[in-house]
């Protein structure tokens, strides 16, 4: 006889930020909610942890922009202590020939920087930002909508009409931009606008973040767009830092959830979803405990449902089985004795360039080579690396005078060729990343006091990110909007009645947005 773990209106599998958001909205309407998280700490991929004695940092996700202002307001995150600071400027690109590019800090400042490479590119910048923002506004408008669900019948007419209206209002040129940004490559999009490499590299970097693709591959322009629909403190497109790291966001969410009466159990891995009379009616934990609930909400990766519902047959199994999930990302945290001293902009005292997103990938061609090399050999010896040094804006993370850096590296395949495995290769790949940074900042390698490495396999083991995909599945056209996670399942309702998906595998996809959790809660409450 299984141990009984209680009876609830809703049980949420996983306490990632979307699960927390969903639970908060459900509890606000009086539902008795229990969250079950297999890790020892709630927050999913948005957590801050100590990784070296005295040094803390965001473990996975590391920078904030996409978190929806409505979620921040509704969950009273600022009242629970969340403070987000903007970067002084967005990006710093050290270049191999001793030059550099700084982007951000106001349009005039960026134009002055870009003009050092191309006067024409500098002149085109304001129009580029304007046109991209028009399209980003369409995305913003659709974020909080439930996408029209294929096969949903007459009830889907309203969402379909709302989506069409958002597009129809745009001038024809902007409609063309929407079509292009959803289909063409980032390189094709950027080549239309600019002629110099550094600015194309800076913008194009977003198209390969969490996306195993060459920037010359069709579809990559959308991933670029996905990274610009956010804002920091009302400033559109900006990226910032949550004081205390990304864990500060989920700590504030947890406080609100608990204030609304949500019960959060950690160290509680769910093994199976119980289905009775064609309806989800609870879950069974790995230790055999059974929990009964009227609604089951999954914050886990969509493919987790295949194992959790072994007896639920149907064509959904093939669709979810084909769901593509690999972002080919490699994540490191390093504890630093001193700041990187860049050959192209020397100095070991904290300066604005240390406080920005430092992109070590000087051109689109470089990114293409990194992709091709990873495609053939698993990962490139010259990887694409972005480094952030959050301790330059947040003194809660490292001892005085010392620093922590987040290294986010692209194009490290989940499945290595020739039977090689990540447990044997993790340290060697980490060394290649350190070499890459040291090429631009010669004191870097010697300044590292400790490091924590997360290979794609580690991301899967630690956070349940299937295939190591940071977004719970690729952001490709066949896995977006009405097709996320699969056609017919875009309304957050899963293959059995009473079962919902509230994580990043649902519209609008990955990133610390809180939006899938918000939208799923609305649909659950509608069904009540
Ligand atoms: C390395 C990395 C870097 C990133 N960088 C950024 C960034 O800088 N900015 C940004 O906006 N986004 C970033 N992202 C993406 C973003 O972090 C994720 O899209 C987002 O955090 C996912 O939130 P979620 O709530 O949907 O799911 P998750 O955070 O994945 O939470 C799901 C939770 O479910 C739990 N779970 C899974 N299975 C079970 C089970 N069977 N039983 C119980 N619990 C279970 C997991 O342990 C996890 O806690 C990054 C992600 C990664 C991995």
């Amino acid at each position: 006889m299984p141990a009984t773990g209680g009876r609830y209106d809703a049980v949420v599998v996983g306490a990632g930020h979307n699960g927390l958001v969903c639970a908060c909205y459900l509890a606000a309407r009086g539902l008795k909610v229990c969250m079950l998280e297999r890790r020892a700490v709630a927050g999913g991929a948005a957590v801050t942890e100590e990784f070296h004695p005295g040094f803390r940092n965001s473990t996975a996700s590391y920078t904030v922009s996409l978190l929806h202002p409505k979620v921040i307001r509704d969950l009273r995150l600022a009242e629970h202590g969340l403070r987000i600071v903007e970067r002084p400027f967005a990006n710093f690109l050290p270049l191999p020939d001793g030059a550099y590019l700084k982007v951000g800090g106001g349009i005039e400042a960026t134009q002055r920087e870009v003009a050092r490479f191309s006067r024409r590119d500098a002149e085109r910048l304001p129009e580029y930002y304007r046109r991209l923002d028009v399209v980003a506004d369409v995305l913003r408008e659709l974020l909080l909508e439930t996408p029209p669900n294929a096969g949903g019948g007459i009830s889907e007419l309203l969402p379909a009409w709302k989506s069409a209206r958002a597009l129809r209002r745009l001038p024809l040129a902007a409609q063309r931009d929407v079509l292009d940004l959803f289909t063409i490559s980032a390189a094709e999009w950027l080549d239309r606008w600019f002629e110099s490499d550094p600015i194309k590299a800076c913008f194009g970097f977003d198209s390969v973040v969490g996306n195993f693709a060459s920037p010359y591959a069709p579809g990559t322009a959308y991933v670029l767009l996905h990274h610009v629909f956010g804002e920091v403190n009302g400033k559109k497109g900006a990226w910032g830092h949550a004081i205390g790291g990304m864990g500060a966001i989920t700590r504030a969410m947890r406080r609100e959830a608990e204030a609304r009466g949500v019960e959060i159990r950690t160290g509680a891995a769910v093994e199976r979803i119980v289905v009775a009379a064609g309806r989800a009616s609870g879950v069974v934990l790995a230790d055999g405990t059974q929990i009964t609930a009227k609604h089951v909400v999954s914050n886990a990766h969509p493919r987790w449902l295949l194992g959790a519902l072994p007896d639920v047959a149907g064509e959904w199994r093939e669709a979810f089985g084909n769901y593509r999930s690999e972002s080919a990302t490699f994540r490191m945290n390093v504890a630093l004795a001193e700041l990187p001293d860049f050959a192209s902009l020397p100095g070991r005292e904290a300066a604005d360039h240390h406080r920005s997103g430092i992109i070590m990938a000087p051109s689109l061609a470089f990114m293409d080579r990194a992709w091709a090399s990873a495609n053939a050999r698993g990962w490139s010896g010259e990887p694409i690396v972005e480094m952030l040094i959050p301790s330059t804006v947040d003194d809660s993370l490292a001892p005085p005078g010392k620093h922590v850096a987040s290294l986010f590296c692209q194009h490290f395949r989940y499945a290595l060729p020739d039977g090689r495995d990540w447990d044997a290769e993790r340290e060697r790949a980490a060394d290649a990343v350190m070499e890459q940074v040291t090429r631009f900042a010669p004191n870097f390698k010697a300044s590292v006091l400790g490091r924590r490495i997360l290979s794609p396999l580690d991301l899967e083991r630690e956070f349940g990110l299937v295939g190591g995909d940071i977004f719970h599945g690729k952001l490709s056209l066949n896995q977006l909007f009405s097709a996320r996670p699969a056609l017919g399942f875009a309304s957050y309702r899963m293959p059995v009645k009473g079962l919902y998906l509230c994580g990043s595998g649902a519209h609008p996809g990955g990133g610390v947005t809180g939006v899938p959790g918000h939208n799923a809660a609305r649909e659950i409450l509608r069904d009540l």
Side-chain angles (χ1 to χ4, degrees):
M1 176 100 177
T4 53
R7 187 176 287 273
Y8 298 86
D9 293 319
V11 66
V12 182
V13 181
H17 83 284
N18 277 313
L20 288 162
V21 170
C22 187
C24 282
Y25 284 111
L26 296 182
R29 288 283 292 275
L31 270 67
K32 187 178 170 204
V33 183
C34 175
M35 302 192 74
L36 302 162
E37 168 56 50
R38 60 196 255 288
R39 293 192 82 217
V41 47
V47 284
T48 304
E49 291 166 298
E50 188 175 67
F51 67 97
H52 184 72
F55 293 81
R56 299 161 62 241
N57 198 9
S58 307
T59 306
S61 167
Y62 60 100
T63 176
V64 59
S65 168
L66 309 175
L67 186 57
H68 202 281
K70 179 171 190 298
V71 170
I72 296 179
R73 247 186 349 261
D74 290 352
L75 270 58
R76 305 185 302 154
L77 299 186
E79 288 160 55
H80 290 298
L82 178 64
R83 198 154 68 82
I84 297 172
V85 294
E86 205 191 323
R87 297 183 199 160
F89 58 86
N91 293 110
F92 169 61
L93 262 88
L95 301 169
D97 55 3
Y100 66 82
L101 172 70
K102 294 199 272 188
V103 172
I107 187 70
E108 289 86 8
T110 305
Q111 281 182 295
R112 273 196 303 279
E113 281 282 312
V114 172
R116 296 194 286 111
F117 300 91
S118 160
R119 188 164 294 282
R120 174 181 172 272
D121 287 357
E123 282 162 8
R124 303 202 70 179
L125 263 180
E127 183 60 5
Y128 174 80
Y129 281 122
R130 192 192 67 74
R131 290 263 290 269
L132 196 60
D133 201 43
V134 169
V135 182
D137 272 340
V138 174
L139 276 196
R140 289 181 187 115
E141 201 171 321
L142 296 178
L143 286 177
L144 296 182
E145 300 293 340
T146 297
N149 203 21
I154 199 153
S155 62
E156 298 308 321
L157 287 179
L158 182 64
W161 177 76
K162 278 185 180 166
S163 318
R165 192 185 52 172
L167 285 174
R168 257 211 349 256
R169 274 205 308 266
L170 294 177
L172 205 54
Q175 291 186 31
R176 281 191 203 108
D177 284 347
V178 173
L179 189 59
D180 285 344
L181 280 161
F182 272 79
T183 51
I184 68 175
S185 74
E188 186 177 346
W189 169 254
L190 291 165
D191 282 344
R192 289 179 187 175
W193 285 95
F194 305 113
E195 61 187 11
S196 58
D197 281 337
I199 190 66
K200 286 195 269 187
C202 181
F203 292 149
F205 169 75
D206 277 344
S207 75
V208 298
V209 169
N211 184 24
F212 182 60
S214 158
Y216 293 90
T220 44
Y222 174 76
V223 184
L224 182 158
L225 180 66
H226 190 85
H227 283 91
V228 302
F229 70 66
E231 61 174 71
V232 171
N233 303 329
K235 199 162 179 188
K236 281 185 190 177
W239 285 80
H241 172 74
I243 298 295
M246 297 301 275
I249 298 173
T250 46
R251 260 200 319 279
M253 289 176 172
R254 183 178 181 150
R255 282 191 194 121
E256 181 62 13
E258 286 174 340
R260 295 182 186 193
V262 175
E263 184 184 329
I264 301 172
R265 300 189 203 171
T266 52
V270 177
E271 204 159 80
R272 204 161 50 77
I273 295 169
V274 181
V275 180
R279 219 194 130 81
S281 62
V283 296
V284 179
L285 303 187
D287 67 6
T289 308
Q290 184 159 338
I291 295 169
T292 308
K294 292 182 196 145
H295 305 274
V296 176
V297 190
S298 174
N299 183 195
H301 189 286
R303 285 224 308 246
W304 175 76
L305 292 176
L306 289 167
L309 292 168
D311 303 324
V312 178
E315 59 81 33
W316 74 277
R317 299 199 78 88
E318 185 184 344
F320 280 51
N322 289 338
Y323 183 69
R324 292 188 304 150
S325 190
E326 183 197 6
S327 55
T329 38
F330 188 93
R331 176 79 171 82
M332 281 171 71
N333 275 328
V334 288
L336 297 176
E338 62 177 0
L339 286 172
D341 187 6
F342 288 93
S344 57
L345 192 55
R348 293 176 196 202
E349 293 301 313
D352 278 352
H353 66 284
H354 291 116
R355 298 185 185 98
S356 69
I358 302 164
I359 297 174
M360 283 159 275
S363 66
L364 296 176
F366 175 94
M367 296 180 211
D368 179 56
R369 282 197 301 277
W371 170 80
S373 164
N375 202 29
R377 290 186 290 282
W379 47 274
S380 164
E382 279 194 82
I384 301 165
V385 180
E386 184 188 27
M387 174 163 69
L388 261 75
I389 314 174
S391 49
T392 54
V393 291
D394 181 351
D395 60 13
S396 73
L397 301 175
K402 306 278 196 295
H403 288 279
V404 291
S406 308
L407 298 169
F408 195 36
C409 319
Q410 309 304 321
H411 298 348
F412 290 75
R413 305 249 26 205
Y414 170 78
L416 295 170
D418 310 321
R420 284 150 49 206
D421 87 89
W422 272 114
D423 288 330
E425 211 141 322
R426 181 187 298 109
E427 296 290 331
R428 217 153 55 76
D431 290 343
V433 170
M434 310 256 293
E435 288 297 340
Q436 174 70 343
V437 181
T438 305
R439 278 184 200 112
F440 295 94
N443 70 331
F444 180 75
K445 213 162 59 172
S447 71
V448 173
L449 303 169
R451 65 187 190 184
R452 180 176 184 197
I453 308 164
L454 290 169
S455 72
L457 182 63
D458 298 324
L459 289 173
E460 180 177 78
R461 284 178 182 152
E462 188 72 41
F463 298 102
L465 298 168
V466 176
D469 195 304
I470 69 165
F471 295 136
H472 287 206
K474 270 183 118 48
L475 300 175
S476 51
L477 196 55
N478 66 335
Q479 299 192 168
L480 285 172
F481 202 54
S482 292
R484 194 161 184 90
L487 271 185
F489 296 97
S491 68
Y492 305 91
R493 294 170 183 85
M494 292 295 107
V496 283
K497 277 213 164 66
L499 174 65
Y500 301 84
L501 183 69
C502 75
S504 298
H507 170 74
V512 180
T513 65
V515 175
H518 167 278
N519 293 358
R522 183 185 53 225
E523 297 307 318
I524 296 165
L525 293 170
R526 257 182 205 157
D527 287 353
L528 285 176

